[in-house]
Amino acid sequence: MFYICTTCGVQYDSSFQHPKKCVICNDERQYVNPNGQSWTTLEELKDSSYRNIFSQAEEGLYSIKTSPTFAIGQTAYLLQGTEVNILWDCISYLDEETIEYIKSLGGIHAIALSHPHYYSTQVEWAEAFNVPLYIHRDDKQWVMRDSEHIVFWEGSMLKISQDITLYRLGGHFKGGAVLHWGNEDGVLLTGDIVQVVADQHWASFMYSYPNLIPLPASKVSEMVEQLKPLHFDRLYNAFHRSVKEDANRAVQRSAERYIKALDGSLLNI
């Protein structure tokens, strides 16, 4: 059986018994449920009340979220590019209704992942649509279910099509990636490599979000320097938060504030 960790939602290679522990959750960026490690399967999820909800974020961009919330509760995005459709990040729940609806939107030609916390049932998705699954090679060790669909890309960027490019920023994970969609105004999909905060005119950057471990100022500076040349007016994260306008400037401004907070110059304490 292909067991799924109920805390992070990541699916593991086939085994007769569930793994003794979840490698993803035992990493310091995540956590083991205080009630103990538990497992499920996609078949068990299909027998429950879960369903996927699609919402149109803007023309050519749809969010996909599972209800009720399962595991981390992230959002995946279906992006309709000029040449290819791509699924950005994955969610654990997948059923025939989801597959048929995506096909009605033109299907998907590839899947790309921001980082290991959202690998979920990525192989199930890749097999369902028979498409390549792009993961940065720096995060290969975190792949818990291997597949011939997985393509480990290298370097700082990968051009998927004329208007879709992946950029490796690192930070939250060494291979942490974002997706740039070069439509008329430009869109950046970030997972939580760049995280939109409660005040959605700002963003932040962390090594661990649940355990509140920050990234060093030097790494944040490096990340936003890579983003500076890109044109993107809007930014979408993995939790239905977005920066609606002038998003690149918001990211640069947020990095400046973040670094000032780390060195103490921002704080009146």
Side-chain angles (χ1 to χ4, degrees), residues 59-73:
E59 185 176 355
L61 186 66
Y62 293 82
S63 68
I64 315 171
K65 186 172 176 61
T66 302
S67 178
T69 298
F70 176 72
I72 294 175

